[in-house]
Amino acid sequence: MSSTDKAWEKWGANDPYFAVLTLDKFHNKNLNKKLKAEFFASGQYDIGLTLKAVAKMDKSYAVNTALDFGCGVGRLTIPLARRSKHAIGLDVSESMLKEAQANVPPELLKKVSFIKLNDNLVNLPKNYNFIFSYIVFQHIPKKRGYAIANELLKNLDEGGFAALHFTIHEPDRIVFKLVRRLSHKIFFVNWLVNLYIRRPLTAPNMQMNIYKLDQLVKIFRNNGIQDVVCKSDAHGRGMMGVMIIGKKQAQESKERFSGR
Ligand SMILES: C[S@@+](CC[C@H](N)C(=O)[O-])C[C@H]1O[C@@H](n2cnc3c(N)ncnc32)[C@H](O)[C@@H]1O
């Protein structure tokens, strides 16, 4: 198990809602019914936004089986189930998955399932025509993240859509970059960061990894997704992310466009 997987298991067991959206109101000790409803409403909004962008690219497309990579407590898997035939949440954390399962409303129980992923993705489902992921890859070291993105796109059905989110920019300040990197490796740097951002001193490190857009576009392209739309978003502390959305072409049009 990698160090980031261990950290996520701890977050899932101790403070899962805060770990997903990192707003103080979502700490376990503050959560109530109203805040939980607000938390899940944000997921419905995020899914709506992405599916609106997808509909602009292809009016006739309908989600059949959807995968939600890094599903956490099901904030996005549940609204995805409402907009598809079946939604499958994937995560490395058992405790996140347990919480997600408990959050599924009775009327959706038959339309949602969850799978614990292992390192080499051998249990990745086959036959899905939508792959979605939001605020997940940024927490995975780049080398592993690129390999996962490639695998997820490789197995996507032809004619299916992918919408994958990555952080691609951090403030251009040497100290910021250095502290971020050192906090991944040295526990007391992580403690200092926790003090600075007012988290409990020994809270597990939540890695932030900055991906390269050109590398990502190449991975999409190598998997038959030539035309992509990028929706940018601003995170806290000057970080910038991008949701890359695109349709996997049928083999025949892949060959036709290969010279482009
Ligand atoms: C910030 S949360 C986001 C959850 C969900 N996508 C959402 O927006 O509500 C990140 C999630 O990614 C999961 N995760 C981290 N590394 C992962 C990996 N290598 N494979 C699958 N899931 C992972 C964590 O366990 C956690 O549930």
Side-chain angles (χ1 to χ4, degrees), residues 138-253:
Q138 61 195 26
H139 300 305
I140 303 174
K142 266 186 298 187
K143 193 169 171 223
R144 183 177 177 204
Y146 288 132
I148 293 175
N150 188 52
E151 200 61 22
L152 294 175
L153 297 175
K154 192 169 87 188
N155 289 297
L156 175 70
D157 290 350
E158 288 183 357
F161 269 85
L164 304 180
H165 176 270
F166 302 85
T167 294
I168 55 162
H169 173 81
E170 66 182 331
D172 210 6
R173 292 199 299 269
I174 297 284
V175 176
F176 187 97
K177 291 182 183 194
L178 194 67
V179 170
R180 177 179 66 73
R181 282 184 199 144
L182 289 178
S183 73
H184 294 178
K185 295 192 172 117
I186 304 174
F187 74 91
F188 64 82
V189 178
N190 183 45
W191 285 13
L192 290 176
V193 172
N194 282 341
L195 268 181
Y196 182 69
I197 60 176
R198 292 160 197 261
R199 282 197 191 149
L201 190 69
T202 57
N205 182 238
M206 208 181 261
Q207 281 200 13
M208 282 303 286
N209 295 286
I210 316 298
Y211 285 71
K212 289 189 184 308
L213 189 56
D214 55 351
Q215 186 75 18
L216 294 166
V217 170
K218 192 169 149 199
I219 293 172
F220 271 67
R221 202 179 160 83
N222 286 348
N223 284 290
I225 305 176
Q226 284 94 355
D227 298 329
V228 293
V229 163
C230 291
K231 300 271 179 192
S232 69
D233 60 15
H235 299 235
R237 300 185 186 91
M239 300 272 191
M240 202 173 80
V242 70
M243 177 66 93
I244 308 178
I245 307 173
K247 181 178 178 178
K248 188 164 186 168
Q249 302 300 327
Q251 189 61 37
E252 160 201 334
S253 45

Side-chain angles (χ1 to χ4, degrees), residues 8 19-20 69-70 72 75-76 91-92 96 134-136 140 144:
W8 279 103
V20 169
F69 174 73
R75 188 179 72 95
L76 304 158
D91 208 287
V92 283
M96 286 285 190
Y134 186 52
I135 52 173
V136 177
I140 303 174
R144 183 177 177 204

Side-chain angles (χ1 to χ4, degrees), residues 37-133:
E38 184 185 324
F39 178 92
F40 281 101
S42 72
Q44 193 150 329
Y45 176 81
D46 290 342
I47 290 295
L49 219 56
T50 299
L51 288 182
K52 207 167 153 188
V54 166
K56 269 194 190 162
M57 295 168 82
D58 182 350
K59 279 196 191 72
S60 64
Y61 169 77
V63 189
N64 196 348
T65 297
L67 300 192
D68 177 16
F69 174 73
C71 63
V73 296
R75 188 179 72 95
L76 304 158
T77 325
I78 294 167
L80 256 182
R82 293 207 167 89
R83 310 277 304 258
S84 63
K85 287 203 174 128
H86 195 88
I88 305 175
L90 310 166
D91 208 287
V92 283
S93 160
E94 290 272 12
S95 21
M96 286 285 190
L97 291 169
K98 202 168 154 210
E99 191 68 23
Q101 183 65 61
N103 283 325
V104 179
E107 72 276 12
L108 291 178
L109 279 172
K110 287 201 175 128
K111 292 184 74 183
V112 186
S113 44
F114 295 98
I115 296 178
K116 181 178 175 333
L117 282 187
N118 60 12
D119 264 358
N120 45 13
L121 299 185
V122 282
N123 41 2
L124 189 70
K126 298 275 176 281
N127 303 115
Y128 49 90
N129 80 338
F130 190 52
I131 171 73
F132 182 81
S133 182

